[in-house]
mmCIF file of all heavy atoms in Angstrom:
data_model
loop_
_atom_site.group_PDB
_atom_site.id
_atom_site.type_symbol
_atom_site.label_atom_id
_atom_site.label_comp_id
_atom_site.label_asym_id
_atom_site.label_seq_id
_atom_site.Cartn_x
_atom_site.Cartn_y
_atom_site.Cartn_z
ATOM 1 N N LEU A 1136 -1.678 14.915 -26.142
ATOM 2 C CA LEU A 1136 -2.508 13.934 -25.454
ATOM 3 C C LEU A 1136 -2.527 14.254 -23.957
ATOM 4 O O LEU A 1136 -3.565 14.191 -23.315
ATOM 5 C CB LEU A 1136 -2.018 12.529 -25.724
ATOM 6 C CG LEU A 1136 -2.826 11.386 -25.061
ATOM 7 C CD1 LEU A 1136 -4.273 11.395 -25.613
ATOM 8 C CD2 LEU A 1136 -2.143 10.047 -25.326
ATOM 9 N N GLY A 1137 -1.335 14.562 -23.434
ATOM 10 C CA GLY A 1137 -1.243 14.943 -22.006
ATOM 11 C C GLY A 1137 -1.988 16.218 -21.704
ATOM 12 O O GLY A 1137 -2.706 16.304 -20.689
ATOM 13 N N ILE A 1138 -1.878 17.226 -22.600
ATOM 14 C CA ILE A 1138 -2.609 18.462 -22.410
ATOM 15 C C ILE A 1138 -4.108 18.225 -22.412
ATOM 16 O O ILE A 1138 -4.871 18.773 -21.598
ATOM 17 C CB ILE A 1138 -2.233 19.494 -23.500
ATOM 18 C CG1 ILE A 1138 -0.794 19.971 -23.301
ATOM 19 C CG2 ILE A 1138 -3.194 20.671 -23.535
ATOM 20 C CD1 ILE A 1138 -0.270 20.894 -24.383
ATOM 21 N N TYR A 1139 -4.577 17.386 -23.369
ATOM 22 C CA TYR A 1139 -6.002 17.105 -23.464
ATOM 23 C C TYR A 1139 -6.519 16.379 -22.216
ATOM 24 O O TYR A 1139 -7.621 16.662 -21.707
ATOM 25 C CB TYR A 1139 -6.276 16.283 -24.725
ATOM 26 C CG TYR A 1139 -7.743 16.061 -25.022
ATOM 27 C CD1 TYR A 1139 -8.630 17.142 -25.047
ATOM 28 C CD2 TYR A 1139 -8.219 14.806 -25.297
ATOM 29 C CE1 TYR A 1139 -9.996 16.942 -25.376
ATOM 30 C CE2 TYR A 1139 -9.579 14.570 -25.580
ATOM 31 C CZ TYR A 1139 -10.432 15.665 -25.615
ATOM 32 O OH TYR A 1139 -11.760 15.456 -25.893
ATOM 33 N N ALA A 1140 -5.728 15.440 -21.710
ATOM 34 C CA ALA A 1140 -6.118 14.710 -20.483
ATOM 35 C C ALA A 1140 -6.224 15.670 -19.305
ATOM 36 O O ALA A 1140 -7.184 15.589 -18.520
ATOM 37 C CB ALA A 1140 -5.081 13.615 -20.191
ATOM 38 N N VAL A 1141 -5.254 16.570 -19.169
ATOM 39 C CA VAL A 1141 -5.285 17.561 -18.081
ATOM 40 C C VAL A 1141 -6.473 18.492 -18.261
ATOM 41 O O VAL A 1141 -7.128 18.883 -17.282
ATOM 42 C CB VAL A 1141 -3.960 18.381 -18.047
ATOM 43 C CG1 VAL A 1141 -4.054 19.539 -17.043
ATOM 44 C CG2 VAL A 1141 -2.802 17.465 -17.683
ATOM 45 N N THR A 1142 -6.766 18.881 -19.484
ATOM 46 C CA THR A 1142 -7.931 19.763 -19.799
ATOM 47 C C THR A 1142 -9.225 19.111 -19.327
ATOM 48 O O THR A 1142 -10.051 19.753 -18.665
ATOM 49 C CB THR A 1142 -8.022 20.052 -21.314
ATOM 50 O OG1 THR A 1142 -6.837 20.710 -21.715
ATOM 51 C CG2 THR A 1142 -9.195 20.938 -21.619
ATOM 52 N N LEU A 1143 -9.423 17.848 -19.709
ATOM 53 C CA LEU A 1143 -10.655 17.158 -19.328
ATOM 54 C C LEU A 1143 -10.742 16.988 -17.802
ATOM 55 O O LEU A 1143 -11.766 17.276 -17.204
ATOM 56 C CB LEU A 1143 -10.697 15.773 -20.002
ATOM 57 C CG LEU A 1143 -10.847 15.780 -21.505
ATOM 58 C CD1 LEU A 1143 -10.901 14.336 -22.033
ATOM 59 C CD2 LEU A 1143 -12.122 16.546 -21.962
ATOM 60 N N MET A 1144 -9.650 16.535 -17.173
ATOM 61 C CA MET A 1144 -9.672 16.311 -15.734
ATOM 62 C C MET A 1144 -9.855 17.620 -14.969
ATOM 63 O O MET A 1144 -10.662 17.668 -14.020
ATOM 64 C CB MET A 1144 -8.363 15.607 -15.288
ATOM 65 C CG MET A 1144 -8.247 14.188 -15.690
ATOM 66 S SD MET A 1144 -6.850 13.318 -14.934
ATOM 67 C CE MET A 1144 -5.470 14.177 -15.721
ATOM 68 N N GLY A 1145 -9.141 18.668 -15.381
ATOM 69 C CA GLY A 1145 -9.238 19.940 -14.721
ATOM 70 C C GLY A 1145 -10.611 20.564 -14.788
ATOM 71 O O GLY A 1145 -11.196 20.979 -13.776
ATOM 72 N N ASN A 1146 -11.165 20.645 -15.985
ATOM 73 C CA ASN A 1146 -12.467 21.283 -16.163
ATOM 74 C C ASN A 1146 -13.615 20.459 -15.594
ATOM 75 O O ASN A 1146 -14.544 21.022 -14.997
ATOM 76 C CB ASN A 1146 -12.704 21.586 -17.648
ATOM 77 C CG ASN A 1146 -11.887 22.740 -18.151
ATOM 78 O OD1 ASN A 1146 -12.152 23.894 -17.797
ATOM 79 N ND2 ASN A 1146 -10.903 22.474 -18.999
ATOM 80 N N VAL A 1147 -13.562 19.155 -15.753
ATOM 81 C CA VAL A 1147 -14.606 18.289 -15.155
ATOM 82 C C VAL A 1147 -14.542 18.380 -13.647
ATOM 83 O O VAL A 1147 -15.589 18.414 -12.956
ATOM 84 C CB VAL A 1147 -14.472 16.840 -15.621
ATOM 85 C CG1 VAL A 1147 -15.401 15.922 -14.850
ATOM 86 C CG2 VAL A 1147 -14.783 16.738 -17.120
ATOM 87 N N SER A 1148 -13.337 18.451 -13.077
ATOM 88 C CA SER A 1148 -13.167 18.591 -11.621
ATOM 89 C C SER A 1148 -13.776 19.897 -11.127
ATOM 90 O O SER A 1148 -14.422 19.939 -10.073
ATOM 91 C CB SER A 1148 -11.676 18.533 -11.253
ATOM 92 O OG SER A 1148 -11.123 17.279 -11.580
ATOM 93 N N ILE A 1149 -13.589 20.987 -11.906
ATOM 94 C CA ILE A 1149 -14.151 22.287 -11.513
ATOM 95 C C ILE A 1149 -15.686 22.192 -11.521
ATOM 96 O O ILE A 1149 -16.329 22.686 -10.576
ATOM 97 C CB ILE A 1149 -13.688 23.387 -12.503
ATOM 98 C CG1 ILE A 1149 -12.218 23.733 -12.289
ATOM 99 C CG2 ILE A 1149 -14.565 24.622 -12.388
ATOM 100 C CD1 ILE A 1149 -11.922 24.530 -11.046
ATOM 101 N N ILE A 1150 -16.244 21.555 -12.550
ATOM 102 C CA ILE A 1150 -17.726 21.420 -12.644
ATOM 103 C C ILE A 1150 -18.262 20.601 -11.444
ATOM 104 O O ILE A 1150 -19.228 20.994 -10.786
ATOM 105 C CB ILE A 1150 -18.110 20.766 -13.947
ATOM 106 C CG1 ILE A 1150 -17.768 21.699 -15.134
ATOM 107 C CG2 ILE A 1150 -19.612 20.433 -13.985
ATOM 108 C CD1 ILE A 1150 -17.886 21.071 -16.508
ATOM 109 N N VAL A 1151 -17.637 19.444 -11.166
ATOM 110 C CA VAL A 1151 -18.060 18.590 -10.078
ATOM 111 C C VAL A 1151 -17.918 19.300 -8.754
ATOM 112 O O VAL A 1151 -18.833 19.250 -7.876
ATOM 113 C CB VAL A 1151 -17.249 17.261 -10.078
ATOM 114 C CG1 VAL A 1151 -17.541 16.448 -8.801
ATOM 115 C CG2 VAL A 1151 -17.559 16.436 -11.341
ATOM 116 N N LEU A 1152 -16.805 20.007 -8.528
ATOM 117 C CA LEU A 1152 -16.553 20.704 -7.296
ATOM 118 C C LEU A 1152 -17.592 21.794 -7.032
ATOM 119 O O LEU A 1152 -18.124 21.900 -5.943
ATOM 120 C CB LEU A 1152 -15.134 21.330 -7.324
ATOM 121 C CG LEU A 1152 -14.712 22.098 -6.064
ATOM 122 C CD1 LEU A 1152 -14.574 21.143 -4.881
ATOM 123 C CD2 LEU A 1152 -13.394 22.819 -6.345
ATOM 124 N N ILE A 1153 -17.892 22.589 -8.068
ATOM 125 C CA ILE A 1153 -18.860 23.662 -7.891
ATOM 126 C C ILE A 1153 -20.266 23.116 -7.632
ATOM 127 O O ILE A 1153 -21.003 23.641 -6.774
ATOM 128 C CB ILE A 1153 -18.860 24.576 -9.166
ATOM 129 C CG1 ILE A 1153 -17.521 25.362 -9.222
ATOM 130 C CG2 ILE A 1153 -20.014 25.566 -9.114
ATOM 131 C CD1 ILE A 1153 -17.330 26.132 -10.489
ATOM 132 N N ARG A 1154 -20.650 22.071 -8.362
ATOM 133 C CA ARG A 1154 -22.004 21.502 -8.185
ATOM 134 C C ARG A 1154 -22.187 20.817 -6.838
ATOM 135 O O ARG A 1154 -23.296 20.758 -6.324
ATOM 136 C CB ARG A 1154 -22.265 20.526 -9.343
ATOM 137 C CG ARG A 1154 -22.486 21.188 -10.685
ATOM 138 C CD ARG A 1154 -22.798 20.175 -11.766
ATOM 139 N NE ARG A 1154 -24.037 19.514 -11.518
ATOM 140 C CZ ARG A 1154 -25.253 19.950 -11.904
ATOM 141 N NH1 ARG A 1154 -25.326 21.090 -12.562
ATOM 142 N NH2 ARG A 1154 -26.327 19.257 -11.681
ATOM 143 N N SER A 1155 -21.083 20.307 -6.261
ATOM 144 C CA SER A 1155 -21.203 19.547 -5.028
ATOM 145 C C SER A 1155 -20.827 20.360 -3.776
ATOM 146 O O SER A 1155 -20.914 19.837 -2.653
ATOM 147 C CB SER A 1155 -20.273 18.312 -5.081
ATOM 148 O OG SER A 1155 -18.937 18.704 -5.257
ATOM 149 N N SER A 1156 -20.496 21.671 -3.979
ATOM 150 C CA SER A 1156 -20.100 22.513 -2.837
ATOM 151 C C SER A 1156 -21.096 23.674 -2.669
ATOM 152 O O SER A 1156 -21.050 24.590 -3.486
ATOM 153 C CB SER A 1156 -18.681 23.050 -3.044
ATOM 154 O OG SER A 1156 -17.755 22.000 -3.222
ATOM 155 N N PRO A 1157 -21.953 23.636 -1.691
ATOM 156 C CA PRO A 1157 -22.952 24.687 -1.496
ATOM 157 C C PRO A 1157 -22.351 26.079 -1.381
ATOM 158 O O PRO A 1157 -22.945 27.057 -1.816
ATOM 159 C CB PRO A 1157 -23.651 24.287 -0.187
ATOM 160 C CG PRO A 1157 -23.442 22.801 -0.101
ATOM 161 C CD PRO A 1157 -22.089 22.584 -0.672
ATOM 162 N N GLN A 1158 -21.154 26.187 -0.785
ATOM 163 C CA GLN A 1158 -20.526 27.512 -0.592
ATOM 164 C C GLN A 1158 -20.124 28.147 -1.927
ATOM 165 O O GLN A 1158 -19.812 29.336 -1.978
ATOM 166 C CB GLN A 1158 -19.325 27.435 0.344
ATOM 167 C CG GLN A 1158 -18.125 26.672 -0.168
ATOM 168 C CD GLN A 1158 -18.164 25.184 0.228
ATOM 169 O OE1 GLN A 1158 -19.219 24.581 0.286
ATOM 170 N NE2 GLN A 1158 -17.003 24.634 0.544
ATOM 171 N N LEU A 1159 -20.074 27.329 -2.999
ATOM 172 C CA LEU A 1159 -19.685 27.835 -4.306
ATOM 173 C C LEU A 1159 -20.922 28.075 -5.210
ATOM 174 O O LEU A 1159 -20.776 28.369 -6.399
ATOM 175 C CB LEU A 1159 -18.729 26.871 -5.021
ATOM 176 C CG LEU A 1159 -17.391 26.645 -4.334
ATOM 177 C CD1 LEU A 1159 -16.534 25.699 -5.197
ATOM 178 C CD2 LEU A 1159 -16.658 27.937 -4.058
ATOM 179 N N HIS A 1160 -22.112 28.007 -4.642
ATOM 180 C CA HIS A 1160 -23.334 28.223 -5.414
ATOM 181 C C HIS A 1160 -23.611 29.727 -5.475
ATOM 182 O O HIS A 1160 -24.619 30.217 -4.929
ATOM 183 C CB HIS A 1160 -24.501 27.443 -4.830
ATOM 184 C CG HIS A 1160 -24.354 25.973 -5.010
ATOM 185 N ND1 HIS A 1160 -25.257 25.054 -4.522
ATOM 186 C CD2 HIS A 1160 -23.409 25.232 -5.652
ATOM 187 C CE1 HIS A 1160 -24.878 23.814 -4.833
ATOM 188 N NE2 HIS A 1160 -23.732 23.921 -5.507
ATOM 189 N N THR A 1161 -22.739 30.444 -6.121
ATOM 190 C CA THR A 1161 -22.842 31.904 -6.279
ATOM 191 C C THR A 1161 -22.758 32.233 -7.777
ATOM 192 O O THR A 1161 -22.278 31.391 -8.564
ATOM 193 C CB THR A 1161 -21.731 32.636 -5.515
ATOM 194 O OG1 THR A 1161 -20.456 32.261 -6.089
ATOM 195 C CG2 THR A 1161 -21.776 32.294 -4.022
ATOM 196 N N PRO A 1162 -23.145 33.432 -8.188
ATOM 197 C CA PRO A 1162 -23.089 33.808 -9.601
ATOM 198 C C PRO A 1162 -21.725 33.589 -10.240
ATOM 199 O O PRO A 1162 -21.613 33.085 -11.343
ATOM 200 C CB PRO A 1162 -23.499 35.275 -9.604
ATOM 201 C CG PRO A 1162 -24.423 35.403 -8.446
ATOM 202 C CD PRO A 1162 -23.852 34.493 -7.401
ATOM 203 N N MET A 1163 -20.643 33.994 -9.517
ATOM 204 C CA MET A 1163 -19.308 33.917 -10.102
ATOM 205 C C MET A 1163 -18.969 32.477 -10.448
ATOM 206 O O MET A 1163 -18.422 32.171 -11.532
ATOM 207 C CB MET A 1163 -18.281 34.480 -9.138
ATOM 208 C CG MET A 1163 -16.866 34.418 -9.686
ATOM 209 S SD MET A 1163 -15.655 35.258 -8.637
ATOM 210 C CE MET A 1163 -15.459 34.031 -7.302
ATOM 211 N N TYR A 1164 -19.337 31.550 -9.564
ATOM 212 C CA TYR A 1164 -18.989 30.136 -9.787
ATOM 213 C C TYR A 1164 -19.952 29.476 -10.744
ATOM 214 O O TYR A 1164 -19.616 28.465 -11.383
ATOM 215 C CB TYR A 1164 -18.890 29.414 -8.462
ATOM 216 C CG TYR A 1164 -17.695 29.889 -7.652
ATOM 217 C CD1 TYR A 1164 -17.907 30.697 -6.533
ATOM 218 C CD2 TYR A 1164 -16.414 29.621 -8.045
ATOM 219 C CE1 TYR A 1164 -16.815 31.175 -5.825
ATOM 220 C CE2 TYR A 1164 -15.326 30.100 -7.356
ATOM 221 C CZ TYR A 1164 -15.515 30.878 -6.228
ATOM 222 O OH TYR A 1164 -14.451 31.384 -5.543
ATOM 223 N N LEU A 1165 -21.158 30.014 -10.894
ATOM 224 C CA LEU A 1165 -22.064 29.526 -11.914
ATOM 225 C C LEU A 1165 -21.453 29.804 -13.295
ATOM 226 O O LEU A 1165 -21.389 28.928 -14.148
ATOM 227 C CB LEU A 1165 -23.428 30.229 -11.823
ATOM 228 C CG LEU A 1165 -24.394 29.960 -13.013
ATOM 229 C CD1 LEU A 1165 -24.855 28.505 -13.001
ATOM 230 C CD2 LEU A 1165 -25.569 30.915 -12.940
#
């Protein structure tokens, strides 16, 4: 349950961070 919670928080955070940060709008981060 802890692993799943970390998985959701970590991956959703990565998606939100990339979408909201113009400097990460590159192919690698897409």
